[in-house]
Amino acid sequence: MRLSEMSAKEIVDFEQGERLGVPGRLDARVNASTGEIEAFLFPTTRWSPFKKNEETLEIHWHHIHTIGEDMIIVNRSV
């Protein structure tokens, strides 16, 4: 699966029952020595009347429970 395909999937937190959103832009942190993906990073933008606050949500590889056709189910309490 390509990173661009994952960026179109909705991310849902299994334990909290919370929709975390559809990344749109998605980045991956890769371990340089092993080549393994350590985490996925995607921006969460919050608008206020005066400025745009952009934070990055980090989903570690071991938090991913299932990657389906339309969504990625994560469990961040693991």
Side-chain angles (χ1 to χ4, degrees), residues 34-48:
T34 64
E36 294 177 338
I37 294 175
E38 293 180 346
F40 292 106
L41 311 164
F42 70 92
T44 58
T45 304
R46 296 193 176 127
W47 292 90
S48 72

Side-chain angles (χ1 to χ4, degrees), residues 51-65:
K51 64 179 179 174
K52 180 173 80 168
N53 296 329
E54 189 169 294
E55 298 173 4
T56 302
L57 179 62
E58 186 171 329
I59 304 291
H60 292 273
W61 182 256
H62 65 274
H63 290 158
I64 295 176
H65 185 270

